[in-house]
Amino acid sequence: MAKIGILTGGGDCPGLNPVIRAVVRKSYIEGFEVIGIKNGWKGLIENDTLKLDLESVSGILPKGGTMLGTSRTNPYKKPQDLQKTKENFKKLGLDALIVVGGEDTLGVASKLIKDGITNIVGVPKTIDNDLSATDYTFGFDTALNTATECIDKLHTTAESHHRIMVVEVMGRHAGWIATEAGIAGGADVILIPEIPIDIDEVCGLIQKRHQRDKTFSIIVVAEGAKFKEGMITQEEKLDEFGHVRLGGIGETMAKEIEKRTGYETRVSVLGHIQRGGTPSAFDRVLGTRFGVKAVELVKNKKFGRMVALSGNKIIDVAIQDAISTLKTVDPELYEISKVFFG
Ligand code: F6P
């Protein structure tokens, strides 16, 4: 009986449990055994695993997060960790490993393939939706709906108090959540990492709006949006993949806007609320389709491949194609959002 390992790495997102459930259910039909590796690459370094059967995945479909746990552990940080990763892969007797992750987790998968652990299949996930080679990653739709709902709630209080409301959303390098939640929530300005902020222009747009008798405005800003001088970070400490912790752009924007326009301004940082909670129907379906396809790739020994969404079809692409470039916001979509600025 073939033995498949599965791990979920990097930031969690809604839709991971539907993937795990689909992998286990499809494997059962194919006669494969499934071993869950806990907490991403950390579990492979520490040989921390659990057997996954039909019973263990029962009831997890609507739950957010990941029943396997996750971490931002990078086995390439220390030579002994890499050694352990390779040893445990053998010790566990894995015929294949399904790696569910974003650019960092899949980046490790791609390196391992080059280093001789070739029997790997990738599944893309991130709320940021910034992975190439797939039209959407699961997690994004849920995050987008959460952010939109929050913007709707902020709208009513902004309107009542005649305030400017700055809403900071996630999006490290790409402003997908900001752009789409901004469009869906009727934002008056949307600021994304792809385009440096021009604070004079932002204030000009708000003032123009107020001259039209509007007494409130909503500004959506992605956490990774930057002034020409660079990103605003919470702390300089880097994680194991070399990322700084972002946050603070909303606060800075709010202060600047109030100072320059005189309009009372507040900030709301949505933070990890966007990553939590029950997955949307779209993310449950996408995660399920990805999970089933991942097992099919294992069955057909199509290793080094990643499942992906192209239009409405589930296809497979080289893992490398997903991580070599970042999928930034479609300029045409951003242009559409600008029709509603000011
Ligand atoms: O999952 C990606 C992401 O949501 C980024 O947008 C954000 O910068 C990061 O995760 C924060 O993750 P954490 O606080 O878990 O390290």
Side-chain angles (χ1 to χ4, degrees):
M1 185 194 263
K3 210 188 224 187
I4 306 180
I6 177 168
L7 65 81
T8 54
D12 72 332
C13 76
L16 287 164
N17 282 327
V19 175
I20 298 166
R21 171 180 173 267
V23 164
V24 173
R25 295 286 292 262
K26 176 69 175 161
S27 293
Y28 178 76
I29 292 169
E30 298 299 340
F32 299 153
E33 187 185 340
V34 185
I35 302 294
I37 293 156
K38 291 193 197 164
N39 306 317
W41 296 113
K42 191 165 184 275
L44 205 50
I45 295 168
E46 296 172 356
N47 202 359
D48 190 5
T49 64
L50 78 163
K51 197 171 147 46
L52 293 177
D53 55 18
L54 296 187
E55 194 45 46
S56 42
V57 296
S58 169
I60 66 170
L61 179 64
K63 290 193 180 147
T66 162
M67 68 164 292
L68 291 175
T70 187
S71 72
R72 293 195 187 275
T73 303
N74 180 0
Y76 278 86
K77 258 314 228 196
K78 296 185 200 131
Q80 62 270 35
D81 285 353
L82 183 58
Q83 186 63 26
K84 285 248 170 286
T85 302
K86 290 180 176 175
E87 274 170 23
N88 287 331
F89 188 93
K90 285 210 185 83
K91 209 185 273 176
L92 287 164
L94 297 180
D95 297 298
L97 179 63
I98 295 177
V99 175
V100 191
E103 55 159 338
D104 296 328
T105 306
L106 292 172
V108 170
S110 169
K111 279 189 189 165
L112 282 173
I113 290 168
K114 287 188 191 121
D115 283 345
I117 305 227
T118 53
N119 294 2
I120 296 181
V121 161
V123 177
K125 71 88 233 187
T126 165
I127 65 161
D128 292 349
N129 197 36
D130 58 0
L131 277 176
S132 289
T134 183
D135 288 352
Y136 281 102
T137 47
F138 62 84
F140 171 68
D141 184 67
T142 309
L144 173 59
N145 281 304
T146 301
T148 303
E149 197 188 328
C150 291
I151 294 169
D152 287 349
K153 287 181 194 281
L154 291 166
H155 237 115
T156 57
T157 168
E159 193 167 1
S160 305
H161 283 267
H162 316 288
R163 283 173 175 156
I164 312 294
M165 199 61 84
V166 176
V167 191
E168 183 183 307
V169 298
M170 277 190 173
R172 179 171 280 275
H173 306 294
W176 287 103
I177 298 179
T179 305
E180 295 208 9
I183 293 173
D188 303 301
V189 179
I190 299 170
L191 303 165
I192 58 175
E194 289 86 338
I195 301 166
I197 298 170
D198 180 338
I199 189 75
D200 293 326
E201 196 185 330
V202 173
C203 292
L205 284 165
I206 300 300
Q207 274 155 339
K208 196 178 105 200
R209 185 176 146 79
H210 283 230
Q211 278 152 21
R212 282 198 288 122
D213 285 345
K214 288 287 175 195
T215 59
F216 74 97
S217 294
I218 303 284
I219 299 174
V220 178
V221 58
E223 62 179 350
K226 40 199 166 305
F227 295 105
K228 285 178 199 93
E229 298 75 36
M231 268 177 190
I232 297 190
T233 59
Q234 284 194 44
E235 49 185 65
E236 292 305 316
K237 222 175 105 214
L238 301 180
D239 72 12
E240 291 201 5
F241 287 95
H243 305 305
V244 285
R245 203 163 145 217
L246 297 179
I249 183 72
E251 191 67 49
T252 309
M253 284 295 302
K255 279 192 191 132
E256 276 304 310
I257 291 167
E258 192 168 272
K259 194 169 84 192
R260 288 165 187 247
T261 64
Y263 303 139
E264 192 179 21
T265 308
R266 294 283 192 272
V267 61
S268 276
V269 180
L270 304 191
H272 294 81
I273 286 172
Q274 297 157 97
R275 282 225 311 247
T278 182
S280 65
F282 180 88
D283 284 339
R284 292 183 208 187
V285 174
L286 185 59
T288 299
R289 293 175 81 193
F290 276 176
V292 169
K293 176 78 173 179
V295 177
E296 279 168 8
L297 292 183
V298 170
K299 186 181 166 189
N300 297 321
K301 298 198 171 16
K302 287 184 86 176
F303 297 123
R305 310 290 294 173
M306 184 192 86
V307 300
L309 181 71
S310 172
N312 198 27
K313 291 261 169 294
I314 304 293
I315 57 162
D316 61 276
V317 297
I319 292 180
Q320 194 52 42
D321 290 352
I323 55 173
S324 40
T325 50
L326 202 76
K327 188 179 71 192
T328 49
V329 168
D330 177 359
E332 264 180 47
L333 183 69
Y334 191 71
E335 278 306 310
I336 289 172
S337 76
K338 281 171 73 176
V339 171
F340 305 93
F341 283 12

